């Protein structure tokens, strides 16, 4: 579902996908309270490691840093 690279030992994909879906909806809602909640969640969330293949941890962590700074579309 998400557009993260898949690697051996990455983050479990299902929880990451669920978080991205929820966070994206909150950020797109235009509701300041939901946006603040999404920003706080991005700074506090942790994901389990997949037993086989999961999302690249560096790519997911970069996404979380962008969300946590309020810049989900900033690719830097």
């Amino acid at each position: 579902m998400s557009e993260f690279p898949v690697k051996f030992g990455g983050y479990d994909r299902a929880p990451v996908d669920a978080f991205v879906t929820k966070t994206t909806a909150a950020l797109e809602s235009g509701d300041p309270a939901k946006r603040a909640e999404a920003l706080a969640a991005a700074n506090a969330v942790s994901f389990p490691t997949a037993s086989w293949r999961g999302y690249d941890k560096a790519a997911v962590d970069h996404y979380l840093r962008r969300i946590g700074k309020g810049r989900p579309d900033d690719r830097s």
Side-chain angles (χ1 to χ4, degrees):
M1 177 179 216
S2 298
E3 295 183 19
F4 300 112
V6 176
K7 299 177 80 169
F8 177 76
Y11 289 131
D12 188 349
R13 291 182 273 183
V16 173
D17 286 339
F19 181 83
V20 169
T21 299
K22 181 179 178 181
T23 302
T24 300
L27 293 173
E28 291 176 352
S29 74
D31 181 335
K34 287 183 181 179
R35 181 177 172 80
E37 184 179 313
L39 298 178
N43 288 313
V45 71
S46 63
F47 299 110
T49 299
S51 59
W52 180 241
R53 293 177 56 81
Y55 290 132
D56 177 62
K57 290 181 178 183
V60 173
D61 291 345
H62 182 70
Y63 167 80
L64 292 173
R65 283 191 301 276
R66 288 192 334 255
I67 294 295
K69 293 178 181 176
R71 300 186 324 232
D73 296 326
D74 178 10
R75 299 295 176 189
S76 61

